[in-house]
Structures are given as structure tokens and as C-alpha cells.
């Protein structure tokens, strides 16, 4: 049995590793490795580049991928601190609501609106905010109308069995569609006034 242990051949790498351990240089290399080294490019905060078919950027010192959903994420997610004043957003739902509309915390919105009231410009600001709400409502109503009209025309679907089925929504009364169109026109007229 002792013959088997002594027959083991030590490679140069093994001997160098033992030397490194004995001399307390455990981080030193024990051999030469041959391979491919890519060119190193120094990147700074905010740089955007493409690598291996993906877009990348540096945000807060971290390398991150850039996706097409980044803009949507910024609008949907409320940050921990206000981008305007850098104070923590601690008012819960109220801060979330204000951030969706104004992109700042409720304290910043209150401060801004107070300044407008002192200058006498608040009524115009309020009118613009209401106008934006009406424009959004018009777009929603147009989308509903479009969905209703598409629902009237038949859509075809292929089932798991390979059969083609045509689905039709309820047929709508033309007067109902005209009423929605008139309502949208009234809203558009209210904006123009």
C-alpha cells in the first residue's frame, strides 16, 4: 500500500503551490494560463454601449442591461426618495399618487402649488391639470369605442383541435355608438373652450 503512495508523480504546479503555501504567498500563481483576453474599455457612469447583442449602461456604479421597459418602470415604480428634493417618500399612497402625476413627492407638489397661489397663477395651473385629465379620458373613451367596434367584427381563432372558430361580440345598437361619438366630441369641444 505504501508503494502506491510513493509512486504518485508531483507536477510542477503542485510543487509550486506547496512553496507558495509554505512562504505564505497563497495568492500567487502556480502556473501559466494561456487564453483570450478581451480589450478592456473603461466605462463611466451613464455610458451606454452594446456588447454581445445587448445594450448595457452604468447606473449607480453597477453594470446593468438597458431594456425597452426601463421608461415604463420609471413611471410605474415609486422611488424611495424624491428625485426633486432627495427626501424619503414616507407618506405612502399619497406620495405614490403624487409621484405618478407630478414625478415628485407630495411635499414638493404642495410647496409648488403654494408658490403658484401666492403668485396668482394657480387657477391657470388647475385648468391645465383638468384639461390633461379630460384629454386622457377622451383617449380612454376612443379606445373603448374602438374595442367595441372590433368586437362587432368577427375574429377567427384556431382551436387546439385545428378547427377554425369565429367569435362575434354582441351586435351593438348604432345609436349607442353614435352617443359615445357625440360624448367624445363634446369633451373635445370642452377642451377647445
Amino acid at each position: 500500500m505504501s508503494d502506491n503512495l510513493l509512486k504518485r508523480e508531483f507536477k510542477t504546479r503542485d510543487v509550486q503551490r506547496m512553496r507558495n503555501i509554505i512562504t505564505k504567498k497563497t495568492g500567487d500563481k502556480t502556473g501559466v494560463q494561456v487564453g483570450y483576453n478581451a480589450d478592456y474599455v473603461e466605462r463611466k457612469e451613464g455610458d451606454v454601449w452594446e456588447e454581445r447583442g445587448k445594450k448595457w449602461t452604468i447606473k449607480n456604479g453597477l453594470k446593468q442591461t438597458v431594456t425597452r421597459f426601463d421608461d415604463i418602470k420609471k413611471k410605474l415604480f415609486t422611488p424611495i426618495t424624491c428625485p426633486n428634493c432627495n427626501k424619503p417618500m414616507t407618506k405612502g399612497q399619497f406620495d405614490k399618487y403624487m409621484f405618478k402625476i407630478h414625478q415628485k413627492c407630495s411635499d414638493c407638489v404642495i410647496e409648488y402649488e403654494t408658490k403658484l397661489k401666492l403668485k396668482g397663477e394657480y387657477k391657470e395651473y388647475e385648468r391645465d391639470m383638468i384639461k390633461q385629465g379630460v384629454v386622457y379620458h377622451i383617449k380612454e373613451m376612443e379606445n373603448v369605442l374602438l374595442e367595441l367596434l372590433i368586437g362587432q367584427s368577427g375574429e377567427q381563432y384556431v382551436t387546439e383541435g385545428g378547427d377554425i372558430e369565429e367569435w362575434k361580440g354582441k351586435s351593438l345598437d348604432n345609436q349607442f355608438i353614435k352617443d359615445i361619438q357625440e360624448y367624445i366630441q363634446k369633451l373635445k369641444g370642452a377642451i377647445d373652450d
Side-chain angles (χ1 to χ4, degrees):
M1 182 166 191
S2 61
D3 291 337
N4 288 342
L5 289 175
L6 295 176
K7 287 184 182 178
R8 180 168 183 236
E9 184 178 325
F10 290 103
K11 295 183 178 148
T12 313
R13 195 175 94 215
D14 298 329
V15 174
Q16 186 61 44
R17 179 72 183 143
M18 292 306 296
R19 284 183 187 141
N20 289 346
I21 291 172
I22 292 169
T23 59
K24 297 184 181 179
K25 296 179 182 176
T26 55
D28 287 356
K29 295 180 181 179
T30 58
V32 177
Q33 183 177 355
V34 178
Y36 170 76
N37 277 342
D39 294 334
Y40 180 73
V41 179
E42 183 71 30
R43 307 283 184 192
K44 294 178 279 191
E45 186 78 22
D47 285 354
V48 177
W49 70 95
E50 193 163 325
E51 185 178 296
R52 288 180 262 145
K54 278 188 169 183
K55 274 191 173 180
W56 297 87
T57 186
I58 303 277
K59 289 183 184 175
N60 300 325
L62 299 174
K63 181 179 172 183
Q64 299 178 355
T65 59
V66 176
T67 66
R68 59 185 173 181
F69 301 115
D70 285 347
D71 293 334
I72 295 170
K73 286 180 192 176
K74 284 181 186 175
K75 292 185 179 183
L76 289 178
F77 296 111
T78 307
I80 296 171
T81 61
C82 174
N84 193 40
C85 66
N86 292 325
K87 292 180 184 173
M89 295 177 76
T90 57
K91 294 192 176 57
Q93 293 297 323
F94 192 53
D95 274 336
K96 285 182 182 181
Y97 178 75
M98 287 298 166
F99 185 78
K100 285 181 184 177
I101 298 170
H102 301 283
Q103 300 298 307
K104 48 187 160 183
C105 69
S106 57
D107 290 338
C108 290
V109 172
I110 291 169
E111 183 180 327
Y112 176 71
E113 289 179 351
T114 303
K115 287 179 183 177
L116 288 177
K117 286 179 183 178
L118 293 173
K119 291 179 185 177
E121 300 171 356
Y122 183 77
K123 289 288 182 189
E124 184 179 334
Y125 166 78
E126 185 179 34
R127 196 172 19 258
D128 288 341
M129 291 299 290
I130 291 171
K131 192 181 242 185
Q132 287 176 2
V134 172
V135 167
Y136 178 78
H137 185 63
I138 290 171
K139 287 180 185 175
E140 288 293 311
M141 290 302 295
E142 287 173 341
N143 288 339
V144 167
L145 182 62
L146 186 63
E147 286 178 18
L148 289 173
L149 292 174
I150 289 173
Q152 274 190 312
S153 66
E155 291 187 27
Q156 292 184 346
Y157 296 96
V158 179
T159 65
E160 292 174 0
D163 300 328
I164 297 176
E165 293 182 357
E166 188 169 322
W167 293 4
K168 284 191 174 184
K170 293 181 182 178
S171 60
L172 296 173
D173 184 20
N174 285 339
Q175 184 61 40
F176 179 69
I177 293 173
K178 286 179 185 176
D179 290 343
I180 292 176
Q181 289 173 335
E182 287 176 14
Y183 177 67
I184 291 172
Q185 290 304 318
K186 284 180 185 179
L187 289 174
K188 286 182 179 180
I191 288 176
D192 295 335
D193 292 341

